[in-house]
Amino acid sequence: MASKIDKVFYDIGRLEILAEQNSPIHRLDPRAKLLVTIFFVLAVVSYGKYAIADLLPFFLYPAIIIGLANLPVGYLLKKLLIVSPFVLFIGIFNPFIDREIMVQFGPLAISGGWVSFASLLLRFSLTVGAALLLIAITSFPAVCGALDKMGAPRILTVQLLMLYRYLFVLVEEGIRMIRAHALRSFSRRRPRYRIYLQLLGNLLLRTIDRAQRIHLAMLSRAFSGEIKTVRQFNFGRSELLFLLLATGALITLRTTHLTDLLGRLLLEISQ
Amino acid sequence: MSHHIVEVKDLAFTYPDRTPALQGISFRIHHGESVAIVGANGAGKSTLLLHLNGYLTPTGGQVRIGDYPLTRETLREVRRTVGMVFQDPDDQLFMSTVFDDVAFGPLNLDLPVDEVTARVDKALATVGLSHLKERPPHRLSSGQKRRVAIASVLSMAPDILVMDEPSSGLDPRARRQLIELLRSFHHTKIIATHDLDMVVDLCERTIVMHEGRVKADGPTMAIFGDAELLESCCLEKPLRMQGCPLCNK
Ligand SMILES: Nc1ncnc2c1ncn2[C@@H]1O[C@H](COP(=O)(O)OP(=O)(O)OP(=O)(O)O)[C@@H](O)[C@H]1O
Ligand SMILES: [Mg+2]
């Protein structure tokens, strides 16, 4: 149990280390990357519920970024898989509800439900993948900084930053408690339900205590509600170029049917 | 100069759950003094320190920092004057990089960016960690964290340094480095600690607390020489003042 948490913990750290690299993509201003990610997500979710072919070309974006930013594909895919149960759960009923036949491949009939399920999976991988990528090329705190600079509510960005920073500490505290329990529970492998509740309650109390101490530490350093950094945000020529290229590509993808075109082209050549 | 005086008069504090943690504490610490606060677990040291920057409000008595009695109006000024290093550095390092953390205080004082950067660089150089500027604090060793915590306070240029168990959890070498570092500061220092050997190195004056009261207050060597006093407060002589256990001298 504890070792599993240890591993997840390590994995988050890994994402952070990825963000510390120094590739052309990493060097871009966080705001440019955040904007492009937002446009990308908007473009992807704007398709109808049966879209499949039109979504495929969008995988070019992660592919290009992963290439340029030198990221490990396997690791990112694994992260994606960890979150996928949620979307499977959301979409798994589609095939039962929507049984109308949509596509006919010879003897094989595919209902609308299956098509929309597949489309949902695609959209999920694209959007969540893009968010993961954003963190891997920008780092979470920098994303928060960009949000703040772009006018997101301050309370939100401060909360996000704190959440991120203390996630590590909280997980560590949780690990310590579970370890302490494991050491004294002898043969029992898993804590009983009631003990779990107690552990959780204890963790909550500790968290509140810690929050108070952190607040105190912030107050003693003249904190007044705004987290300031000297980080220079610099929206220069390369950011503009990146933004224009990416938005241009997204608009092109959104307004044309690239897969269709390609398919027709291939057909014509083969004829 | 009356500026950096810390004066505590009949200070009493009872926690909401009715634990009488402080029961009438009085002392006066002058500019540039280095004072240790020692006492058994639960003697009230941490509680006392939390009054010095106004985090806890006394249930009786008064705290004066410099020329101000500590009140709601002077709180901000007092917190700027008193730099507090907490027992757990994780509570103090909440930003995402070491640099941002050390810059946090000065930025809140609305200093210009150049000045902030200069202060951060100086503070980090003082604690010898300039090379870790860009690292996230949660991936440092505890000794490094402790030093970053000290730097984050130094960058505010406080007049008074208050520290709660600064040497706990450090290996002998990190502890030695910390002692050298603290010795090089000319601030007024108030250190609550169980590390009596460090007290011998750093503080000329010691205040002994026992069950929420000041049991003794005087020159460090005189206090540590008084075996009876130490015994009655559940303390032991610093190792270097004890006889050699191997040769029985
Ligand atoms: N948050 C709290 N609520 C209630 N009582 C508390 C709280 N914190 C401390 N106390 C009590 O106040 C008394 C003084 O505690 P304090 O933490 O000041 O001791 P200390 O001298 O710092 O001890 P240590 O050497 O263990 O750090 C103790 O009896 C303790 O149980
Ligand atoms: Mg304490």
Side-chain angles (χ1 to χ4, degrees):
Chain A
M1 181 70 205
S3 64
K4 215 179 191 169
I5 298 181
D6 272 332
K7 203 145 163 279
V8 174
F9 179 51
Y10 166 77
D11 261 14
I12 304 177
R14 171 115 190 252
L15 203 56
E16 196 169 65
I17 292 170
L18 287 180
E20 278 171 22
Q21 297 184 80
N22 193 12
S23 75
I25 294 287
H26 282 88
R27 280 195 295 271
L28 289 172
D29 184 302
R31 280 173 299 180
K33 290 182 273 190
L34 179 61
L35 274 178
V36 168
T37 307
I38 292 175
F39 291 158
F40 179 82
V41 169
L42 286 180
V44 168
V45 298
S46 71
Y47 278 99
K49 77 187 239 204
Y50 297 117
I52 288 188
D54 282 338
L55 286 175
L56 293 176
F58 280 90
F59 280 98
L60 275 175
Y61 171 73
I64 294 174
I65 297 282
I66 286 176
L68 286 178
N70 188 20
L71 300 171
V73 186
Y75 169 75
L76 291 172
L77 281 182
K78 230 187 289 160
K79 293 269 87 149
L80 209 56
L81 273 183
I82 292 178
V83 241
S84 57
F86 295 107
V87 72
L88 282 179
F89 189 73
I90 296 171
I92 197 65
F93 295 109
N94 285 6
F96 301 103
I97 299 166
D98 184 355
R99 289 161 175 271
E100 210 168 303
I101 306 299
M102 259 193 84
V103 192
Q104 191 88 37
F105 280 125
L108 188 69
I110 300 175
S111 71
W114 282 110
V115 175
S116 65
F117 181 46
S119 170
L120 190 71
L121 280 186
L122 282 182
R123 271 180 287 177
F124 159 80
S125 341
L126 283 170
T127 49
V128 177
L132 266 176
L133 267 187
L134 176 67
I135 295 176
I137 57 179
T138 318
S139 90
F140 193 83
V143 174
C144 291
L147 275 172
D148 190 62
K149 271 273 185 317
M150 285 164 44
R154 178 142 295 146
I155 188 104
L156 177 77
T157 55
V158 170
Q159 289 288 340
L160 278 177
L161 264 182
M162 288 290 140
L163 180 73
Y164 182 70
R165 165 68 179 89
Y166 284 97
L167 195 63
F168 294 91
V169 179
L170 191 68
V171 170
E172 219 165 344
E173 211 144 342
I175 292 175
R176 274 205 296 268
M177 277 171 49
I178 290 175
R179 203 179 293 146
H181 172 269
L183 284 177
R184 283 186 290 164
S185 57
F186 306 105
S187 60
R188 266 182 199 283
R189 285 293 248 346
R190 289 163 168 278
R192 269 168 306 177
Y193 174 68
R194 295 231 340 248
I195 297 190
Y196 250 135
L197 278 187
Q198 282 196 18
L199 285 182
L200 265 181
N202 207 325
L203 194 61
L204 181 69
L205 285 182
R206 287 193 199 195
T207 310
I208 294 174
D209 272 354
R210 186 180 287 279
Q212 269 176 354
R213 293 198 303 269
I214 295 164
H215 187 229
L216 163 66
M218 296 175 88
L219 287 181
S220 10
R221 289 200 267 151
F223 179 62
S224 55
E226 179 186 358
I227 290 196
K228 300 172 182 166
T229 57
V230 291
R231 240 152 258 295
Q232 295 290 329
F233 281 87
N234 180 16
F235 206 98
R237 213 176 277 164
S238 40
E239 278 76 17
L240 204 60
L241 187 70
F242 174 68
L243 198 58
L244 285 180
L245 272 180
T247 358
L250 282 175
I251 292 176
T252 319
L253 283 186
R254 185 65 188 89
T255 50
T256 58
H257 299 282
L258 198 61
T259 319
D260 256 17
L261 283 179
L262 269 178
R264 239 175 280 152
L265 201 67
L266 282 178
L267 269 180
E268 266 170 36
I269 293 171
S270 65
Q271 271 170 7
Chain B
M1 197 148 100
S2 74
H3 210 66
H4 307 148
I5 284 184
V6 177
E7 188 173 24
V8 173
K9 237 191 241 159
D10 296 323
L11 184 66
F13 182 78
T14 307
Y15 276 103
D17 66 356
R18 308 231 185 105
T19 314
L22 302 178
Q23 311 177 40
I25 304 248
S26 300
F27 57 77
R28 201 177 147 89
I29 293 172
H30 295 275
H31 174 62
E33 253 187 315
S34 175
V35 180
I37 298 184
V38 303
N41 288 133
K45 305 179 294 290
S46 301
T47 310
L48 171 63
L49 294 194
L50 288 179
H51 282 85
L52 299 185
N53 76 348
Y55 181 64
L56 294 178
T57 315
T59 36
Q62 203 190 47
V63 177
R64 283 180 82 91
I65 307 287
D67 304 321
Y68 316 99
L70 218 171
T71 62
R72 204 166 264 289
E73 290 75 47
T74 58
L75 206 55
R76 209 180 137 80
E77 188 54 32
V78 165
R79 287 191 173 146
R80 220 186 60 67
T81 317
V82 180
M84 192 100 158
V85 180
F86 295 90
Q87 192 166 353
D88 182 351
D90 259 325
D91 294 341
Q92 200 164 353
L93 307 176
F94 42 77
M95 296 294 285
S96 38
T97 67
V98 168
F99 183 95
D100 285 339
D101 229 305
V102 181
F104 183 85
L107 281 172
N108 280 330
L109 299 179
D110 293 321
L111 299 173
V113 171
D114 298 345
E115 165 82 14
V116 171
T117 320
R119 280 197 185 194
V120 173
D121 287 340
K122 184 159 168 257
L124 282 177
T126 310
V127 299
L129 287 183
S130 306
H131 58 291
L132 296 181
K133 244 202 281 207
E134 295 302 326
R135 287 275 286 276
H138 58 86
R139 278 200 268 129
L140 300 178
S141 77
S142 34
Q144 289 168 335
K145 277 188 197 169
R146 183 92 48 173
R147 282 190 282 164
V148 176
I150 292 177
S152 72
V153 165
L154 286 183
S155 65
M156 309 234 344
D159 301 314
I160 300 160
L161 269 182
V162 176
M163 280 171 277
D164 199 350
E165 311 206 3
S167 65
S168 69
L170 297 186
D171 66 34
R173 179 148 162 215
R175 172 179 170 277
R176 178 53 49 196
Q177 284 170 342
L178 178 80
I179 291 177
E180 292 311 321
L181 179 65
L182 294 181
R183 210 212 297 271
S184 68
F185 295 155
H186 300 292
H187 301 79
T188 305
K189 285 183 287 253
I190 303 175
I191 306 175
T193 184
H194 294 291
D195 184 347
L196 301 191
D197 280 284
M198 176 176 78
V199 173
V200 174
D201 279 333
L202 281 179
C203 307
E204 64 270 17
R205 176 175 162 198
T206 297
I207 295 175
V208 183
M209 285 183 68
H210 187 58
E211 293 176 353
R213 295 203 167 79
V214 171
K215 192 77 178 230
D217 180 353
T220 298
M221 287 330 246
I223 289 199
F224 288 165
D226 187 343
E228 213 168 303
L229 170 72
L230 292 181
E231 175 111 19
S232 72
C233 300
C234 318
L235 295 172
E236 281 183 359
K237 271 188 185 181
L239 287 177
R240 78 176 72 161
M241 292 175 68
Q242 294 178 9
C244 170
L246 296 180
C247 46
N248 279 325
K249 268 189 218 159

PDB file of all heavy atoms in Angstrom, chain B residues 45-47 87 164-165 194, ligand 2:
ATOM      1  N   LYS B  45       8.377  26.715  25.586  1.00  0.00           N
ATOM      2  CA  LYS B  45       9.306  27.491  24.755  1.00  0.00           C
ATOM      3  C   LYS B  45       8.656  27.932  23.448  1.00  0.00           C
ATOM      4  O   LYS B  45       8.673  29.120  23.100  1.00  0.00           O
ATOM      5  CB  LYS B  45      10.569  26.660  24.434  1.00  0.00           C
ATOM      6  CG  LYS B  45      11.269  26.122  25.650  1.00  0.00           C
ATOM      7  CD  LYS B  45      12.480  25.306  25.281  1.00  0.00           C
ATOM      8  CE  LYS B  45      12.160  24.026  24.527  1.00  0.00           C
ATOM      9  NZ  LYS B  45      11.496  22.997  25.331  1.00  0.00           N
ATOM     10  N   SER B  46       8.090  26.971  22.716  1.00  0.00           N
ATOM     11  CA  SER B  46       7.491  27.324  21.423  1.00  0.00           C
ATOM     12  C   SER B  46       6.350  28.314  21.612  1.00  0.00           C
ATOM     13  O   SER B  46       6.194  29.258  20.841  1.00  0.00           O
ATOM     14  CB  SER B  46       6.970  26.073  20.720  1.00  0.00           C
ATOM     15  OG  SER B  46       8.021  25.167  20.513  1.00  0.00           O
ATOM     16  N   THR B  47       5.573  28.091  22.648  1.00  0.00           N
ATOM     17  CA  THR B  47       4.459  29.004  22.918  1.00  0.00           C
ATOM     18  C   THR B  47       4.980  30.418  23.147  1.00  0.00           C
ATOM     19  O   THR B  47       4.433  31.383  22.612  1.00  0.00           O
ATOM     20  CB  THR B  47       3.689  28.523  24.158  1.00  0.00           C
ATOM     21  OG1 THR B  47       3.394  27.134  23.997  1.00  0.00           O
ATOM     22  CG2 THR B  47       2.414  29.293  24.336  1.00  0.00           C
ATOM     23  N   GLN B  87      10.344  25.527  13.486  1.00  0.00           N
ATOM     24  CA  GLN B  87      10.943  24.237  13.777  1.00  0.00           C
ATOM     25  C   GLN B  87      10.975  23.349  12.537  1.00  0.00           C
ATOM     26  O   GLN B  87      11.951  22.670  12.283  1.00  0.00           O
ATOM     27  CB  GLN B  87      10.123  23.581  14.890  1.00  0.00           C
ATOM     28  CG  GLN B  87      10.783  22.382  15.481  1.00  0.00           C
ATOM     29  CD  GLN B  87      10.115  21.984  16.795  1.00  0.00           C
ATOM     30  OE1 GLN B  87       9.252  22.683  17.296  1.00  0.00           O
ATOM     31  NE2 GLN B  87      10.530  20.883  17.333  1.00  0.00           N
ATOM     32  N   ASP B 164      13.284  28.386  16.534  1.00  0.00           N
ATOM     33  CA  ASP B 164      12.780  27.280  17.340  1.00  0.00           C
ATOM     34  C   ASP B 164      13.521  26.008  16.943  1.00  0.00           C
ATOM     35  O   ASP B 164      13.349  25.512  15.841  1.00  0.00           O
ATOM     36  CB  ASP B 164      11.269  27.125  17.118  1.00  0.00           C
ATOM     37  CG  ASP B 164      10.611  26.343  18.239  1.00  0.00           C
ATOM     38  OD1 ASP B 164      11.342  25.768  19.071  1.00  0.00           O
ATOM     39  OD2 ASP B 164       9.367  26.310  18.290  1.00  0.00           O
ATOM     40  N   GLU B 165      14.340  25.502  17.819  1.00  0.00           N
ATOM     41  CA  GLU B 165      15.107  24.277  17.604  1.00  0.00           C
ATOM     42  C   GLU B 165      15.781  24.230  16.240  1.00  0.00           C
ATOM     43  O   GLU B 165      15.507  23.343  15.448  1.00  0.00           O
ATOM     44  CB  GLU B 165      14.185  23.072  17.774  1.00  0.00           C
ATOM     45  CG  GLU B 165      13.394  23.210  19.052  1.00  0.00           C
ATOM     46  CD  GLU B 165      12.956  21.878  19.628  1.00  0.00           C
ATOM     47  OE1 GLU B 165      13.330  20.854  19.060  1.00  0.00           O
ATOM     48  OE2 GLU B 165      12.280  21.896  20.654  1.00  0.00           O
ATOM     49  N   HIS B 194      17.025  22.276  22.542  1.00  0.00           N
ATOM     50  CA  HIS B 194      17.428  21.240  23.492  1.00  0.00           C
ATOM     51  C   HIS B 194      18.915  20.960  23.362  1.00  0.00           C
ATOM     52  O   HIS B 194      19.466  20.134  24.053  1.00  0.00           O
ATOM     53  CB  HIS B 194      16.658  19.946  23.202  1.00  0.00           C
ATOM     54  CG  HIS B 194      15.207  20.057  23.453  1.00  0.00           C
ATOM     55  ND1 HIS B 194      14.688  20.194  24.706  1.00  0.00           N
ATOM     56  CD2 HIS B 194      14.151  20.078  22.612  1.00  0.00           C
ATOM     57  CE1 HIS B 194      13.377  20.270  24.630  1.00  0.00           C
ATOM     58  NE2 HIS B 194      13.029  20.219  23.365  1.00  0.00           N
TER      59      HIS B 194
HETATM   60 MG    MG C   2       8.650  23.387  20.914  1.00  0.00          MG
END
